[in-house]
Amino acid sequence: MAGSQDSGPSPTSPAPVLPLFQRSWFAPTVLLAPTLLWLIFFYIAPIALMVWRGLMDTGLQGYIKIFSSDIYLKVFWNTLQISIITTIGCLVLGYPIAFALTVVGRRLQALILVLVTLPYWLDYVVRSYSWIVLLGRRGLINNILVGLGIVDQPLPLLFNLFSVCVGMIQVLLPIMILALFGAMSRIDRRLMLAAEIHGASRWRAFRTVFFPLSLAGVYSACLLIFISALGFFIVPALIGSPRQTMITQSILVLAETLLNWTDAAALSIVLLVATMVLTIIYDRFFNIDRLWGGDQR
């Protein structure tokens, strides 16, 4: 009878075998394959070769030499100090601008974004040399200060810690602003309006509502800027002095000038490990999922 016939496949019947291109993992694998191959050949493989060469030549002696040398320890301190100052400077300057972008009109917002990204239309080298024109002993700033009688002698504004930090802040500030603006744009402005309706002033509404909600963006932006600053080379090389030598400059000198590939490899691995440790610490305290909008723990 028709009613006794099975209306569907038997529970014990084997599942249909789908063609390869119809399987759920096929499309993601094909789309990710070029990127994975690029990372393997141009990132993972060189790093593995660098680690292998460093260990095979002298074992751990290269790493022991780095941490027992006053010169390398000074370079580490310079890199850490400059990166911290740069991150703080970008945050102090970038937070108000990012906040202003969330409250101004569309046209003014577009104009500010153009001005923020305008420096990236120029090369790093050109921007670095522009600071020599501005901060030199006969530069624009010193000429103005001496001409107005504010100072008697030109100030030492170039080839020191100040010029390096100013140059790096100028390069990384747009990244800080855009990262903070992206995070702040996701904050519901009606929350501040609700606080004002309940009697809070605008400052108190900002301090108790908006600022705590923006901290996730602050953490991710600061991590991005700090890691970027760790690997800077052009700015400290052009407008800094030997006292502001950073890790990447030392790596270049060891590899290209002294042909000391062993120490260069060891120093590069130390920089890579330090960056990874920093990321792990960030994930432990601030949840790295915030970088791409994940849920907070």
Side-chain angles (χ1 to χ4, degrees):
M1 296 177 64
S4 63
Q5 296 179 356
D6 294 335
S7 58
S10 173
T12 58
S13 60
V17 179
L18 296 175
L20 180 63
F21 62 87
Q22 292 184 356
R23 298 182 182 182
S24 59
W25 54 266
F26 180 77
T29 302
V30 172
L31 293 175
L32 291 175
T35 302
L36 293 176
L37 292 175
W38 180 276
L39 290 175
I40 291 173
F41 283 106
F42 296 103
Y43 185 73
I44 298 177
I47 290 178
L49 180 62
M50 183 173 58
V51 174
W52 176 81
R53 179 162 187 172
L55 293 176
M56 291 300 295
D57 289 345
T58 58
L60 297 177
Q61 294 299 320
Y63 299 93
I64 297 175
K65 176 182 177 182
I66 289 175
F67 289 103
S68 60
S69 172
D70 293 337
I71 297 177
Y72 288 135
L73 292 179
K74 176 62 176 177
V75 170
F76 286 138
W77 168 246
N78 288 339
T79 304
L80 180 63
Q81 180 186 26
I82 294 173
S83 299
I84 291 175
I85 295 175
T86 300
T87 303
I88 295 175
C90 288
L91 178 61
V92 172
L93 296 175
Y95 192 97
I97 299 175
F99 178 74
L101 286 170
T102 63
V103 298
V104 299
R106 291 290 184 180
R107 293 184 178 180
L108 185 55
Q109 182 185 91
L111 176 61
I112 296 175
L113 286 175
V114 170
L115 295 177
V116 167
T117 58
L118 185 62
Y120 280 94
W121 299 4
L122 298 176
D123 184 72
Y124 281 105
V125 177
V126 176
R127 281 186 280 171
S128 299
Y129 274 117
S130 66
W131 286 111
I132 298 178
V133 177
L134 293 174
L135 301 177
R137 291 185 60 84
R138 298 182 180 275
L140 179 62
I141 295 179
N142 271 319
N143 286 339
I144 293 176
L145 294 176
V146 174
L148 295 176
I150 299 176
V151 296
D152 297 330
Q153 298 293 331
L155 298 176
L157 303 178
L158 194 61
F159 304 122
N160 51 31
L161 178 63
F162 172 79
S163 61
V164 172
C165 292
V166 168
M168 291 178 60
I169 290 173
Q170 188 265 340
V171 173
L172 295 174
L173 183 59
I175 301 177
M176 172 67 78
I177 294 174
L178 295 177
L180 291 176
F181 173 60
M184 292 179 181
S185 299
R186 296 192 295 267
I187 300 176
D188 191 349
R189 306 289 302 186
R190 293 175 296 180
L191 296 175
M192 292 186 63
L193 180 60
E196 294 177 12
I197 292 175
H198 286 79
S201 63
R202 289 189 176 182
W203 165 246
R204 186 174 182 183
F206 169 82
R207 180 171 53 87
T208 59
V209 178
F210 188 89
F211 181 72
L213 293 175
S214 69
L215 287 180
V218 170
Y219 297 147
S220 61
C222 287
L223 176 67
L224 180 63
I225 297 301
F226 185 81
I227 291 178
S228 300
L230 288 177
F232 253 64
F233 166 76
I234 296 178
V235 174
L238 292 180
I239 60 177
S241 69
R243 294 183 178 181
Q244 287 77 47
T245 301
M246 298 182 68
I247 293 179
T248 49
Q249 294 173 265
S250 299
I251 295 173
L252 184 65
V253 171
L254 289 171
E256 292 191 355
T257 304
L258 302 179
L259 300 179
N260 188 346
W261 292 94
T262 302
D263 287 355
L267 200 58
S268 301
I269 294 301
V270 170
L271 177 60
L272 177 63
V273 171
T275 304
M276 294 176 61
V277 170
L278 175 66
T279 305
I280 293 173
I281 294 175
Y282 174 88
D283 183 48
R284 172 64 179 83
F285 290 98
F286 303 118
N287 187 6
I288 202 171
D289 288 344
R290 292 173 172 176
L291 289 172
W292 46 79
D295 296 333
Q296 299 181 12
R297 294 172 184 167

